[in-house]
Amino acid sequence: MLEASANSGASPQTGIHQLIAADGTSVADGELDPFVADVDDAQLVRLYSDMVAIRRIDVEATALQRQGQLALWPPMLGQEASQVGSLRALGGDDFIFPTYRENGVAYLRGADLAGIMSTWRGSANTGWDPYKFNMATPQIIIGSQTLHATGYAMGLVLDGKETLSIAYLGDGATSQGDVHESMVFAASFQAPVIFFCQNNHWAISEPVGLQAHVPIAGRAPGYGIPSLRVDGNDVLAVLAATRWAAARARSGGGPSFIEAVTYRMGAHTTADDPTRYRGVTELEEWGAKDPIARVKALLQGRGKLDDDAEAAVARRADAVAAELREGTINLPDPAPLSVFDNVYTTEHAILDRQRDHYERYLAGFAPTDGTTLEGSRS
Amino acid sequence: MLEASANSGASPQTGIHQLIAADGTSVADGELDPFVADVDDAQLVRLYSDMVAIRRIDVEATALQRQGQLALWPPMLGQEASQVGSLRALGGDDFIFPTYRENGVAYLRGADLAGIMSTWRGSANTGWDPYKFNMATPQIIIGSQTLHATGYAMGLVLDGKETLSIAYLGDGATSQGDVHESMVFAASFQAPVIFFCQNNHWAISEPVGLQAHVPIAGRAPGYGIPSLRVDGNDVLAVLAATRWAAARARSGGGPSFIEAVTYRMGAHTTADDPTRYRGVTELEEWGAKDPIARVKALLQGRGKLDDDAEAAVARRADAVAAELREGTINLPDPAPLSVFDNVYTTEHAILDRQRDHYERYLAGFAPTDGTTLEGSRS
Amino acid sequence: MSRLTLTQAINAGLRKAMEDDPKVVLMGEDIGTLGGVFRVTDGLMKDFGSHRVIDTPLAESAIIGTAVGLAYRGFRPVCEIQFDGFIYPGFDQIVSQVAKLHMRTHGQVRMPLTIRVPFGGGIGSPEHHSESPEAYFVHTSGLRVISASNPQDAYTLLRQAIACDDPVMFFEPKRRYHAKGEVDLDADLTRAPAMGASRVVHAGTDVTLVTYGPLVATALDAAKAAADDGISLEVVDLRSLSPLDYGPIEESVRRTGRVVITHEASETLGLGAEVAAGITERCFNYLEAAPVRVTGFDIPYPPSKLEKHHLPDLDRMLDGVDRALGRPNSLSGLEG
Amino acid sequence: MSRLTLTQAINAGLRKAMEDDPKVVLMGEDIGTLGGVFRVTDGLMKDFGSHRVIDTPLAESAIIGTAVGLAYRGFRPVCEIQFDGFIYPGFDQIVSQVAKLHMRTHGQVRMPLTIRVPFGGGIGSPEHHSESPEAYFVHTSGLRVISASNPQDAYTLLRQAIACDDPVMFFEPKRRYHAKGEVDLDADLTRAPAMGASRVVHAGTDVTLVTYGPLVATALDAAKAAADDGISLEVVDLRSLSPLDYGPIEESVRRTGRVVITHEASETLGLGAEVAAGITERCFNYLEAAPVRVTGFDIPYPPSKLEKHHLPDLDRMLDGVDRALGRPNSLSGLEG
Ligand SMILES: Cc1ncc(C[n+]2csc(CCOP(=O)(O)OP(=O)(O)O)c2C)c(N)n1
Ligand SMILES: Cc1ncc(C[n+]2csc(CCOP(=O)(O)OP(=O)(O)O)c2C)c(N)n1
Ligand SMILES: [Mg+2]
Ligand SMILES: [Mg+2]
């Protein structure tokens, strides 16, 4: 019988670095502790606030999808610590290459919420300027962005910069040839790139055991790339691990690989129905390891999350939700002739002719509502 | 400065399993010895004879290329132990997926020498029936065949067979995405496939250090695939390692990876000029580790290679050379209309029309030498 | 006769092929437990087991490449590529291996793969989910390329594709997945129209409208609309994109003298170029006007709010018909 | 003026581009120490350093994909693909990333990659070393596609390609690599013919013969041979395969009324299909005969002892010319 050997070893809970346990108690980790020695309670509150804010983005976007305002939404529910912890370890000059799921990262990086949503509404392919936020736009072709991050990091070496690039990727992505080739190039050229893999246990309906027979973090050393396996629901551990990798990159140490072991609590996207392929036990089990609840417990245990602080966190989340909703609903539809925009940087005899023909064709329908047909070329 | 970190660590001479040292003395290896406990001197003489025979193929083919009888030839000089040792560990039902360089393997498998040469003469794309010899034809797209071998092995599981498949690959090939994906699939489906990598230190002009920062055999464990690193110039060690992998495959143990550390003593192909990129020191160093010389020394040391035995080995090599030359020179040119053969298994409206037109066109030139235009369709 | 959606018809075709031949195996991402993101393989893993309905790791080159190995071993793999835009990582294996192995081995190794690709736009999806990559494969010698436009054809053509000893790219018009039609599940394959045959799906006399896959339904609507306008369109469903079957088109164009070709793929070297060139070669003396192409533009697929401006619709088809007839149309007054 | 081979001209073009712009970097397999398997990059690593002439690991998807990352960072990578048949593992990165990123990012990210591909047959090589994959890229919106036929054009077009902010596929006719020609190394790029411009390389009046890359030389020979026969051929070198420049062809066909298109790639959806369709659209009323295609057959590239039966040569071109002229030819007496 040919059956994937769904080796649960692909994701054992052993050997995973952790700084905050699921119940909110602190855990000592000799390797990681030094990287977050400076993180005081105030900073922990900010990380908490970040997580609450991006969870709210998720809730709001999911609702907007149900209301028909978005065509699709890929929830990040459960992965807030991985997104927040990794992003907050980076400097503003570090360049990010995300997948489609790092919408929380994009928000924290400063991208406009409506811009982020424009992709999921279908009004634009992507919604922010990569150079303004040092963050590439969402990548849908699985694994592709890891090569871009590696090439960018090769460019950093050529330019003599001390910044880095980071590629986000999923557990499923680790099966793609491109991810392998990225590691080969990154190792050969000692490129300052961080491979940040969110092992959320699922690639749509496929469990991580189908992609990886043994823990994913075990792959990188085979290329000479050091790796760390951390609790991806532990924002401090993720922050520390990413700082470890960033420090290596900045000091000429080359590439690093991080496996953040987390869990996709929601559907793959709003188009997916996970009840078809996974049980509730697993969900309950992971629900008890919620990344936000544990920080809250930790802070409350220390008496560092009073009502005022909670209220401020809630206000921020409310503001985010309002801005998101408002911005999304008011996103203008793109102008018809903008389909021809930006295919090329300059003129193109064939496409320009098609545009002219289509403009003439549309003119035959004589719009009466005052809208413009023009794309940016006009 | 962006320079590949040519980490010599990519091929350290440490940690390499060996049973016959370069000077022909026996070496004990607790792990490998059991796999060749049955190999007596008579068998060793046969392995020696195999190596001498395929070296002669190489010499003869290289000469034929210089004489314009072959368009190209990829020498295997220096890699005889890797080819002979691996092939001789296999059963006749085990299916082989070679690269373009395993021409010695093909000969030992029984393929007709002229057939083997037809590819390199340009008179046929390939020259043997894969099903007759359980060996696929040469693969030129680097890495591609590792997926075919994996799929074949998946098929063996489906068919409930206890045979295996083996994919040959080079050190350069390990950088290709396909090789990675093969290991992912092989591990997931526990396919009985052997990845047999001949690290001959070069991929055309690129040293292995550019492809692999640390030893190649270190990659496989990251997929949960056990690997061995052996002296690829040691026919016994290669035989033992391949038997180890074969035993694993046959007993449901799944895939294995072998890195045979050897050296491409010749040019990449007859079209290549290695003096442009590598020095003589390296060549001399490896010349001293010749795979054939060491077996000869071992046998002579034991008094097991008398003049009669040597004469028999030489006679076989001479016969091979004569058959190869004779067969190659007499290979017929393919018939013009055979360009249309075997593109499809049955009729094809468009191609059949092109064939008819071309037949009519050629007929206009009215050949007078009695040759036929027909391909197999006639 | 059963009334089935296109997905149900394909599902039934897969089921029948698996029942008929134990060497048929399905491979792909999420095709097992989930039944595929479009539910095309729904229930098949349950009924045939995970050894014949194989959820693969996430790697398209490997899906095709291991299928090649399985074919070597005598299997008939049916690979699902989840969406059109994800076929490209498997392109090398398709072009350099699947298409060439039979010729490379002098006919000794057969490659009876079927590669199923949900293709085309119009479903409001993000980038890479609405591509029409068929031309790449039509240009690749050694492959056969099919596109079904309705449930009956889908059922029959898929069975023929799987039974065919050549590799077949099977393009499924995903935006018609829910369209229903009558399907004769017990029909004898040997009496069905040949896999390579195109078909006139609407008879007419003024202009020949050639299309395939998702736009066949639109073309039939256009024929109705044109009829109201007194123009009689003959609609040809190509069904086989490679090889092209010029028979019915030729016969039609010799009567109409005018031909419009429409598809979602970009114009330049889209299938319309081949049909236009091929029909001109075959019917030059019968043509009253240059063949007209009504296609997607030469742009990457746009965001979904713009897709209606990229995809040929009924109005654009009729505008093309006007052009073929020399009637007032969007290009009137322009040279060329 | 210097007398250079095609490889020397490309080498000079690379050198000039690297001197002019420090952001130009070369990447590829064996391009550094070895200078490339065709010696096109000979000496460049020595002169510019291994940080600008990068020997990469053996992985085409990564060569293109890391070049995308370098372009993100403001570099202008020039990637060498060792042989035509090895471009396919990089196809996904080219089609889904290189071609689309500028549009995807609303023009914010530019992809000024140049991808050099030695292409075509006729050099007696084994499989995968003689492919003509240009049509795949011509069909891909977002790319520009160039093929130079002589040293001067190679030098100029390559510099233009590298300077272009759009991605350019640069197809080098490898069997003409040793052909020599005069090259003006100091010519002002701003005064050179546009990168997108095709050119009449031999004036004539009876039939227009359109081609590019390796077959331009053959077409010029055919023009000479035809002249002996009293037939005057006008030969057009396309130079730009995408976008096509119809200007000179149109002008020519309006005079000759007859056109033959010839290339090594397979016929079905080869570039000839687009030229035939496009020219018919533009010149229908001037055409005296259907455009004729003289191309490689719809087969995988054959073993080298058979390649002369696949590749269009002078005789097959002239047979095509006869067909265009309605003179006795290989298809006379056949219908269609
Ligand atoms: C090349 C490619 N193949 C298939 C898909 C379809 N697809 C989209 S997301 C996905 C699963 C990805 O899983 P993982 O990498 O674990 O990321 P996650 O969605 O869990 O964040 C698949 C198969 C794709 N987008 N690209
Ligand atoms: C996909 C692909 N890219 C490039 C090449 C060109 N090429 C042929 S052999 C070779 C080097 C292969 O090196 P390795 O895998 O070490 O095998 P070896 O030749 O040393 O046996 C290269 C780059 C190819 N054949 N296929
Ligand atoms: Mg996942
Ligand atoms: Mg090698």
Side-chain angles (χ1 to χ4, degrees), chain A residues 334-360 372-378, chain C residues 299, chain D residues 102 106-107 144:
Chain A
L337 288 178
S338 70
V339 285
F340 298 100
D341 290 348
N342 295 312
V343 181
Y344 297 95
T345 57
T346 55
E347 89 246 316
H348 185 284
I350 302 295
L351 187 59
D352 294 347
R353 184 172 186 260
Q354 290 181 3
R355 186 190 193 280
D356 291 346
H357 286 181
Y358 192 59
E359 184 167 12
R360 171 178 286 255
T372 170
L373 301 172
E374 294 301 303
S376 68
R377 209 192 63 161
S378 62
Chain C
I299 59 172
Chain D
H102 187 255
H106 301 264
R144 295 180 187 266

Side-chain angles (χ1 to χ4, degrees), chain C residues 33 101 270 321:
Chain C
T33 316
L101 259 161
V321 167

Side-chain angles (χ1 to χ4, degrees), chain B residues 1-4 68-69 71-72 118-126 138-142 171-177 203-207 210-211 271-274 276-278 332-341 343-344 348 350-351 353-358 360-362 365 373, chain D residues 28-35 37 39 42-43 49-52 54-61 70 82 85-86 88-89 124-129 267-268 295-310 313-317 319 323 329-336:
Chain B
M1 280 277 290
L2 189 80
E3 266 180 85
Q69 292 290 343
L72 192 76
S118 65
T119 305
W120 307 107
R121 188 174 169 90
S123 43
N125 275 331
T126 60
Q139 179 57 251
I140 287 175
I141 302 295
I142 302 295
D171 48 300
T174 60
S175 292
Q176 285 284 7
I204 309 187
S205 75
E206 301 190 336
L210 180 61
Q211 321 282 346
D272 177 40
D273 173 10
R276 290 180 64 100
Y277 54 81
R278 70 179 182 189
D333 280 357
L337 288 177
S338 70
V339 285
F340 297 100
D341 289 349
V343 180
Y344 297 95
H348 185 284
I350 302 293
L351 187 59
R353 185 174 186 259
Q354 290 181 3
R355 186 191 192 281
D356 291 345
H357 286 180
Y358 191 60
R360 172 179 286 257
Y361 168 84
L362 281 183
F365 292 88
L373 301 173
Chain D
E29 297 158 8
D30 305 293
I31 66 164
T33 315
L34 180 62
V37 295
R39 308 291 185 265
D42 197 22
S50 58
H51 58 300
R52 293 190 66 195
I54 306 170
D55 264 334
T56 66
L58 208 177
E60 288 76 12
S61 189
L70 282 159
Q82 198 162 82
F86 312 146
Y88 307 121
S125 271
E127 241 195 314
H128 311 293
H129 291 73
E267 178 175 277
T268 295
T295 70
F297 300 117
D298 286 359
I299 59 173
Y301 201 86
S304 59
K305 293 259 183 200
L306 281 174
E307 65 187 342
K308 64 173 176 292
H309 291 289
H310 175 58
D313 59 9
L314 186 148
D315 286 328
R316 280 182 60 204
M317 288 184 194
D319 184 69
R323 234 178 298 156
N329 64 74
S330 65
L331 296 197
S332 303
L334 287 186
E335 328 158 44

Side-chain angles (χ1 to χ4, degrees), chain C residues 249-272:
Chain C
I249 315 176
E250 234 178 294
E251 198 278 320
S252 180
V253 172
R254 284 177 196 230
R255 283 186 284 106
T256 63
R258 302 171 195 277
V259 60
V260 174
I261 309 126
T262 184
H263 53 64
E264 295 187 9
S266 295
E267 178 176 278
T268 295
L269 281 181
L271 210 67

Side-chain angles (χ1 to χ4, degrees), chain A residues 1-6 153-155 157-158 173-181 184-185 187-191 209-216 218-219 221-224, chain B residues 1-6 153-155 157-158 173-181 184-185 187-191 209-216 218-219 221-224:
Chain A
M1 279 276 285
L2 190 80
E3 266 181 85
S5 71
M154 289 164 65
V157 177
L158 289 177
T174 60
S175 293
Q176 285 285 6
D178 275 2
V179 172
H180 159 78
E181 296 187 8
V184 170
F185 273 56
S188 265
F189 298 112
Q190 288 294 290
L210 181 59
Q211 321 281 347
H213 202 60
V214 294
I216 289 170
R219 295 237 177 113
Y223 302 87
Chain B
M1 280 277 290
L2 189 80
E3 266 180 85
S5 72
M154 288 163 66
V157 177
L158 290 177
T174 60
S175 292
Q176 285 284 7
D178 275 4
V179 172
H180 160 79
E181 296 185 9
V184 170
F185 273 55
S188 266
F189 298 111
Q190 287 294 291
L210 180 61
Q211 321 282 346
H213 204 59
V214 295
I216 289 168
R219 295 239 176 109
Y223 302 87

